[in-house]
Amino acid sequence: MRHAEAEQVVTLFREHYNIPLVHVDAADLFIDALQACGPDPEAKRKTIGKLFIDVFEAEARKIGGAEFLAQGTLYPDVIESVSFTGGPSVTIKSHHNVGGLPARMNMKLVEPLRELFKDEVRVLGRELGLPDAFVGRHPFPGPGLAIRCPGEITRDKLDILRKADAIYLEEIRRAGLYDVIWQAFAVLLPVKTVGVMGDGRTYDHVLALRAVTSVDGMTADFYPFDMAFLGRVATRIINEVKGINRVTYDVTSKPPGTIEWE
Amino acid sequence: MLHRPAQWRNACDMAQHDTILIIDFGSQVTQLIARRVRETGVYCEIHPFQSAEAALHRLSPKGVILSGGPASVTDAGSPRAPAAVFASGVPVLAICYGQQTTAVQLGGSVEGGHAAEFGRADVQIKAPSALFDGVWQVGGSYPVWMSHGDRVTVLPQGFSVKATSENAPFAVASDEARRIYTTMFHPEVVHTPDGAALLRNFVTRIVGANSDWSMAAYRDEMIARIRAQVLR
């Protein structure tokens, strides 16, 4: 999770929704498993998916089981796609059913957003009176920060990334750009370079900044920040976050790139 | 396997809204057709051509849109729209591949091997059509986005040309009496600046669909559905 994110979600559920949310901090479990699983992106995703199920199942047992799983499946996830190779049959895209959890735990799905596109969901959120800050939140990947930290995962690297990401987003909000950007985040690269700070030589990580505009996430362009903004963010991150001595900006569009790095 | 109750498995209870059925022939931009239709406040669903007939019966749509697609109608076994679409009497808008299969299915013909046309083109409006009403004037020239290899060479009976472009003698052809409108260009992409207005004309003026698809209404319906599912 990003800086202060868990607290924000817990606050939303307990104070706005009046829903008795169970919040489990399983960070140690995840980080230990990720450290053991190595740098392969697919292995990281699988490790996280499997652990999520284990933790969810254990917690659900404690409260006597869960009958329903509410999830935010969107219309583009459920449109059957045309297949020319498969003859008259149609392919149904695999759902993001968190690793088969519903079938394994005999849960029924509640998917109230199945008919909607993402921008319609945001309109619906406003109709429901949700705070703008939550409705306009940038998308965040299910596997979390682990896939914004290419290579081996360590607690230290995640801490460095979390601090740098928080500064980057704070500057974006301060510049009034958060809502014109589809998604912005930092990526901590598994590359160290030489720098000089004060009278000393440093040998620290490189951080990449990413920000894209998009209407629907299907295609995306990098956001054309002005150089003064990028310079300000880089200076703050290098001064305030120990472990980073160089900052770069990703200017790849989608396609050919993807929005996330892993 | 999954315990997904019937009301979630398909959107059949959304059929209380006036619905547009979009039949997908595999275009990369089919979802954009749905976006443009929903922006007019009208509910729509996308279904692949293979299951379009079932969707037609289940949804009883007020109008049908046929998407583009990568196949060639001149190939044996290439996709077709269900004949019931044309027999049903509901207005049809057929885009690109949809135009070509409409022409072939209703007695016209299509040939490959002409100069392919990709990207921006200008259409000249030759005759009025309900599709252009209030948007394009006869005699005018307007930018559109083309992407095709094949083209229609003989129109079905009842159809006439409403607009042409340099490489597309049938850029728009329609049978105004049967309310079947076909375009060689893609109105759903932003590169066709007036495309959204043409789709709006089709959905609200020609089909006359109710613009009752709003998130305020959706909120109430969905809360009722969740209650019905979860509370016992």
Side-chain angles (χ1 to χ4, degrees):
Chain A
M1 300 293 272
R2 285 168 293 192
H3 175 70
E5 191 163 40
E7 293 77 3
Q8 286 165 15
V9 172
V10 169
T11 303
L12 180 76
F13 272 77
R14 290 189 183 148
E15 289 179 11
H16 288 267
Y17 296 165
N18 197 21
I19 291 174
L21 180 72
V22 177
H23 170 226
V24 183
D25 184 347
D28 291 337
L29 211 58
F30 279 86
I31 291 168
D32 289 348
L34 284 165
Q35 261 171 334
C37 94
D40 179 63
E42 211 37 47
K44 280 155 77 174
R45 282 178 178 272
K46 285 204 176 107
T47 300
I48 292 165
K50 185 187 169 303
L51 261 184
F52 180 86
I53 290 173
D54 292 348
V55 171
F56 188 96
E57 207 168 10
E59 291 299 323
R61 285 232 170 76
K62 284 187 204 162
I63 58 164
E67 198 181 344
F68 298 96
L69 177 69
Q71 63 176 5
T73 311
L74 299 184
Y75 192 46
D77 302 325
V78 297
I79 299 173
E80 295 172 282
S81 55
V82 167
S83 156
F84 293 103
T85 48
S89 72
V90 294
T91 339
I92 298 171
K93 286 179 199 164
S94 62
H95 295 264
H96 308 284
N97 276 338
V98 283
L101 194 59
R104 178 162 147 183
M105 292 192 59
N106 199 22
M107 284 188 292
K108 298 176 192 79
L109 288 174
V110 178
E111 297 178 303
L113 311 177
R114 276 174 67 83
E115 281 93 14
L116 305 184
F117 290 97
K118 192 173 189 88
D119 49 330
E120 290 179 311
V121 174
R122 287 193 162 137
V123 178
L124 178 65
R126 289 188 190 99
E127 285 292 341
L128 287 164
L130 299 188
D132 280 347
F134 273 89
V135 172
R137 238 160 67 110
H138 290 176
F140 186 66
L145 289 182
I147 63 160
R148 292 176 178 175
C149 202
E152 310 271 354
I153 299 294
T154 66
R155 185 178 283 276
D156 278 353
K157 283 164 86 175
L158 290 174
D159 283 343
I160 292 170
L161 175 59
R162 202 173 282 122
K163 283 180 196 151
D165 190 70
I167 293 170
Y168 180 40
L169 288 177
E170 186 186 317
E171 287 294 334
I172 285 174
R173 283 202 178 89
R174 186 176 296 168
L177 298 174
Y178 187 85
D179 290 334
V180 299
I181 290 169
W182 170 264
Q183 203 171 347
F185 55 90
V187 182
L188 188 71
L189 304 189
V191 174
K192 286 189 164 189
T193 66
V194 173
V196 55
M197 283 178 87
D199 294 326
R201 177 185 178 279
T202 59
Y203 186 59
D204 279 328
H205 285 284
V206 179
L207 185 82
L209 303 178
R210 182 92 165 119
V212 298
T213 55
S214 178
V215 178
D216 45 26
M218 288 192 283
T219 61
D221 290 316
F222 72 86
Y223 185 76
F225 287 120
D226 67 55
M227 286 294 159
F229 174 86
L230 286 173
R232 193 162 66 240
V233 173
T235 304
R236 268 200 69 191
I237 288 172
I238 292 166
N239 284 343
E240 296 175 33
V241 184
K242 197 169 175 307
I244 294 171
N245 68 354
R246 193 177 294 271
V247 173
T248 66
Y249 186 54
D250 180 356
V251 291
T252 318
S253 292
K254 172 188 179 179
T258 51
I259 296 174
E260 297 284 347
W261 279 43
E262 284 200 333
Chain B
M1 272 247 306
L2 288 184
H3 299 268
R4 176 174 284 155
Q7 71 263 37
W8 300 103
R9 200 174 303 126
N10 55 50
C12 54
D13 46 359
M14 284 289 127
Q16 59 190 293
H17 295 277
D18 282 357
T19 300
I20 301 287
L21 169 63
I22 298 165
I23 298 180
D24 186 13
F25 291 109
S27 163
Q28 295 297 306
V29 290
T30 300
Q31 282 193 27
L32 296 179
I33 304 174
R35 296 299 305 113
R36 296 293 94 77
V37 172
R38 295 243 182 134
E39 282 161 15
T40 70
V42 173
Y43 183 68
C44 63
E45 289 187 20
I46 299 172
H47 291 276
F49 65 90
Q50 292 98 331
S51 56
E53 182 135 24
L56 187 72
H57 291 129
R58 185 164 53 76
L59 296 171
S60 302
K62 290 283 199 300
V64 174
I65 300 178
L66 307 180
S67 87
S72 170
V73 294
T74 60
D75 291 344
S78 56
R80 294 289 178 269
V85 167
F86 303 110
S88 68
V90 301
V92 175
L93 174 62
I95 298 167
C96 199
Y97 184 88
Q99 178 187 54
Q100 292 157 19
T101 195
T102 298
V104 167
Q105 290 182 251
L106 298 181
S109 56
V110 170
E111 280 176 19
H114 291 272
E117 194 175 22
F118 296 99
R120 198 198 130 123
D122 288 303
V123 292
Q124 281 76 46
I125 309 305
K126 303 294 181 188
S129 166
L131 195 61
F132 313 149
D133 236 8
V135 184
W136 286 350
Q137 311 303 322
V138 174
S141 175
Y142 306 93
V144 298
W145 190 261
M146 295 275 191
S147 176
H148 62 86
D150 298 344
R151 70 187 195 195
V152 177
T153 49
V154 180
L155 289 176
Q157 209 174 8
F159 280 75
S160 62
V161 176
K162 301 300 188 300
T164 62
S165 78
E166 196 176 338
N167 288 308
F170 305 125
V172 179
S174 63
D175 182 334
E176 302 281 324
R178 289 176 70 186
R179 300 187 299 171
I180 301 175
Y181 307 83
T182 72
T183 71
M184 196 142 190
F185 59 87
H186 288 271
E188 68 273 30
V189 301
V190 292
H191 308 86
T192 299
D194 297 323
L198 300 182
L199 282 162
R200 177 178 292 274
N201 263 359
F202 177 73
V203 168
T204 60
R205 293 195 190 190
I206 296 169
V207 173
N210 251 329
S211 292
D212 62 356
W213 178 252
S214 74
M215 287 303 109
Y218 187 87
R219 176 195 61 197
D220 298 340
E221 280 171 37
M222 208 39 70
I223 289 172
R225 263 163 73 173
I226 294 170
R227 288 217 167 100
Q229 184 192 358
V230 173
L231 297 179
R232 251 165 285 137

